[in-house]
Amino acid sequence: MTEETAEVSMRRLEQVGCQQRLPETDEEAAKIEELLAEELSNLSMSEQDVVSFDVHGIVADVEETSELIAQSLIEMEAELQKIQKKPAYEKALEMNPTYVTGQSFRLQFLRCVAFNCKNAARRLVLHFQQKEDLFGSGDVLVRDVRLSDMDSTDVEAMETGVIQLLPACDASGRAVLCFFLRKWAKKPKAKTAQRVLHYTMQAAMQDENMQRKGIVAILYYVGNNYESTFGFNIMKSVFQTRLCVPHRLEAVHLCYNSKALRPVVSGLRFFMDRRGRTRSRVHFGNEKHLLFQLQTYGIPIPDDSPLRQVNGAFSLASHREWLQIREAQEMKVAGTDEMPKTLFPHRFDVLFGRSTKVRSHTGNLRALHLVNLWQARYDGAPNRARKAEISERIVGIIRESQGRFLKWEETGWVEVDDETARDKIGHYFRNQRRTKTGYDTNKQSIALKRNRNQSLTEIAV
């Protein structure tokens, strides 16, 4: 499937009478919805299955063999050579060939298009072209963008949380990118919106799991009116940025609670490329209904979720914490070619910590369940070596399901080594045994007390 340009999207809008603007009436929205429904119905059964699986996160990762990676990198280089005009790419290649030709860097572009080498080469060229346009042709062109590369307007926009990543992945381990349009008191300049989006998506893609699994986007229009939404030029700019940053869009959820926003929501769907249009889902209703709908698609909505309003306002706590972590990470690697990484806890990850949030994490509960299943064998093990083998077996089960063992540090979540992971499981075994023994002892004490009281009563009688 070829990628579409913003110009193609604009021509589609012109078909329904929208010249350089988003739809404004229910009549225009109805025309767009009819065309979208027709496009979906024209998909083959196999294409519809793929779309449905993507939206619900039922996706098998591409098996990245060493042969596939090596051959794809060769073919991608050949496709790059075929592109005649690529001044920003050539400038970056001259400045730092190690960065531009690096395997880990180019793999981001291959993964986001399922190893379609031609599309990966095109997106790589567009990436440098837009990066130069947004951030200049200095050293930032051949490294990841940092917060220090943003101007004061960009930082102010970033701090509003209008574009932010949820602190946890969805049930399928995909990053969740949210657009809270109500947070922006005044409409931003196009380049400000582009720089904020570029930085945020880049940060998400520094996690290799996100490169493989992709991103889910939520456009949350709760509490908006028509005037407070992004304008046509902003959406055009955002669309262009999305095509230039390496990522794979797996699903889009458009949530709104005002009928007046129906034309805008329809227009945004029509403005997307074919992949985004076919994988978009619209949800209308009050906040409780919208959050429930998102949960049915595997998107986590805990009590402290940024998607929940408290006294009419959305929480910025997790977003501010994320910005502080990013700043600390970037200061740590300043002056080096090292890339700061932001790890997002996945469903089957085991987290270190004592908070209620950590203890109730799905991966921790699953680890405890595994410990309970193996508890008798662990208690009956003749020596420490055998106990360690059982702990190692559980670590292996967790890793086989792509679970990791993550510990919180000042710069965010970091993955621990196998020895520390085994110690964590061993701690679970010992703690479960103490808990069970304590529970049994308590039951015995209660029973003894009850029997004693009964005997005293009988004596009294």
Side-chain angles (χ1 to χ4, degrees):
M1 185 185 297
T2 59
E3 297 181 316
E4 299 175 5
T5 64
E7 286 69 26
V8 174
S9 298
M10 288 189 287
R11 287 198 294 271
R12 270 200 312 274
L13 286 171
E14 290 171 1
Q15 293 173 11
V16 294
C18 299
Q19 305 290 332
Q20 296 291 314
R21 65 175 175 83
L22 291 173
E24 297 174 353
T25 67
D26 284 340
E27 289 74 17
E28 291 175 341
K31 289 180 183 178
I32 288 176
E33 289 163 4
E34 183 179 343
L35 290 171
L36 288 168
E38 182 181 348
E39 181 177 40
L40 282 172
S41 65
N42 288 334
L43 294 177
S44 67
M45 289 298 294
S46 60
E47 287 177 323
Q48 290 182 29
D49 286 343
V50 170
V51 167
S52 180
F53 290 160
D54 286 349
V55 171
H56 290 88
I58 310 170
V59 184
D61 294 339
V62 175
E63 185 179 356
E64 295 184 5
T65 63
S66 57
E67 292 80 8
L68 173 66
I69 292 173
Q71 185 60 34
S72 297
L73 289 170
I74 292 172
E75 292 179 16
M76 182 181 177
E77 178 60 33
E79 293 294 340
L80 282 166
Q81 298 303 321
K82 295 177 185 178
I83 301 174
Q84 298 298 316
K85 295 182 180 181
K86 44 182 187 291
Y89 168 82
E90 290 172 344
K91 184 183 295 183
L93 186 62
E94 184 179 353
M95 291 173 64
N96 190 340
T98 303
Y99 175 82
V100 178
T101 62
Q103 177 173 307
S104 60
F105 177 66
R106 291 197 170 185
L107 270 175
Q108 294 183 50
F109 294 87
L110 286 165
R111 285 168 177 153
C112 76
V113 290
F115 284 81
N116 182 316
C117 300
K118 184 175 182 178
N119 284 348
R122 287 175 53 199
R123 187 171 285 209
L124 180 61
V125 170
L126 285 172
H127 170 79
F128 282 110
Q129 179 181 318
Q130 188 190 73
K131 195 174 183 182
E132 183 181 40
D133 180 52
L134 293 177
F135 301 99
S137 56
D139 69 320
V140 67
L141 191 62
V142 287
R143 61 167 171 78
D144 282 356
V145 178
R146 299 169 184 160
L147 287 171
S148 57
D149 298 314
M150 317 278 270
D151 63 27
S152 58
T153 304
D154 300 336
V155 173
E156 181 182 352
M158 180 80 73
E159 290 175 345
T160 65
V162 66
I163 300 174
Q164 60 176 283
L165 291 160
L166 290 191
C169 301
D170 75 351
S172 300
R174 302 176 295 188
V176 183
L177 179 66
C178 297
F179 296 78
F180 295 94
L181 304 189
R182 189 181 179 188
K183 288 178 177 290
W184 229 321
K186 57 182 180 180
K187 293 182 181 180
K189 293 180 180 179
K191 284 200 172 182
T192 296
Q194 286 180 287
R195 284 192 285 261
V196 171
L197 180 59
H198 183 109
Y199 178 85
T200 306
M201 293 180 70
Q202 168 201 273
M205 291 302 102
Q206 287 166 347
D207 185 337
E208 285 191 10
N209 282 301
M210 299 301 102
Q211 296 173 24
R212 295 187 179 97
K213 295 182 177 297
I215 278 182
V216 174
I218 300 175
L219 278 66
Y220 207 61
Y221 285 90
V222 174
N224 282 85
N225 53 42
Y226 190 94
E227 289 70 28
S228 66
T229 59
F230 282 2
F232 179 84
N233 290 330
I234 297 293
M235 292 314 303
K236 177 183 174 182
S237 301
V238 167
F239 180 89
Q240 290 171 331
T241 299
R242 196 186 74 71
L243 289 182
C244 297
V245 179
H247 74 289
R248 191 170 73 248
L249 185 65
E250 295 293 287
V252 183
H253 298 278
L254 298 101
C255 306
Y256 69 110
N257 65 345
S258 170
K259 292 181 179 179
L261 292 174
R262 178 191 172 194
V264 176
V265 171
S266 299
L268 290 178
R269 292 181 71 197
F270 209 49
F271 199 87
M272 297 175 189
D273 62 351
R274 185 169 183 256
R275 182 178 181 86
R277 289 195 307 274
T278 55
R279 287 161 176 75
S280 64
R281 298 294 181 267
V282 177
H283 312 291
F284 172 74
N286 60 34
E287 182 179 304
K288 184 177 180 180
H289 173 76
L290 294 174
L291 296 181
F292 174 76
Q293 287 295 312
L294 292 174
Q295 286 177 303
T296 64
Y297 286 89
I299 295 170
I301 313 289
D303 291 340
D304 59 350
S305 171
L307 290 163
R308 291 187 185 275
Q309 291 190 83
V310 179
N311 298 323
F314 295 101
S315 172
L316 281 171
S318 63
H319 181 61
R320 286 170 178 160
E321 183 179 49
W322 178 77
L323 286 174
Q324 291 172 357
I325 291 170
R326 292 292 304 176
E327 188 173 11
Q329 289 177 328
E330 290 171 8
M331 289 179 65
K332 188 175 181 180
V333 300
T336 71
D337 292 331
E338 188 178 345
M339 197 166 56
K341 292 184 179 180
T342 301
L343 296 183
F344 298 86
H346 299 171
R347 186 181 184 186
F348 292 142
D349 289 342
V350 178
L351 309 182
F352 285 61
R354 299 183 178 182
S355 68
T356 302
K357 189 173 182 179
V358 165
R359 291 198 302 270
S360 61
H361 180 69
T362 305
N364 291 56
L365 295 175
R366 179 171 179 260
L368 278 173
H369 177 67
L370 290 170
V371 165
N372 284 328
L373 292 177
W374 288 73
Q375 187 74 54
R377 273 172 281 188
Y378 184 88
D379 291 341
N383 51 52
R384 289 185 178 180
R386 179 56 185 149
K387 291 180 187 291
E389 288 177 8
I390 294 173
S391 295
E392 188 171 356
R393 173 59 181 146
I394 292 181
V395 170
I397 293 172
I398 292 170
R399 293 206 186 280
E400 284 170 8
S401 60
Q402 298 184 348
R404 302 167 296 180
F405 289 79
L406 303 180
K407 184 178 182 180
W408 182 262
E409 294 187 354
E410 290 183 1
T411 53
W413 292 106
V414 297
E415 190 168 2
V416 303
D417 56 29
D418 285 344
E419 183 179 354
T420 306
R422 286 195 301 272
D423 289 343
K424 175 71 172 177
I425 296 300
H427 170 76
Y428 272 157
F429 273 121
R430 294 187 295 273
N431 190 59
Q432 286 295 94
R433 184 173 59 219
R434 285 195 299 268
T435 301
K436 185 177 180 181
T437 303
Y439 175 69
D440 290 343
T441 303
N442 189 43
K443 285 199 300 183
Q444 291 172 6
S445 299
I446 293 173
L448 288 170
K449 188 175 182 180
R450 186 185 298 115
N451 291 337
R452 185 184 62 183
N453 290 340
Q454 184 177 355
S455 299
L456 290 174
T457 302
E458 291 173 352
I459 292 172
V461 172

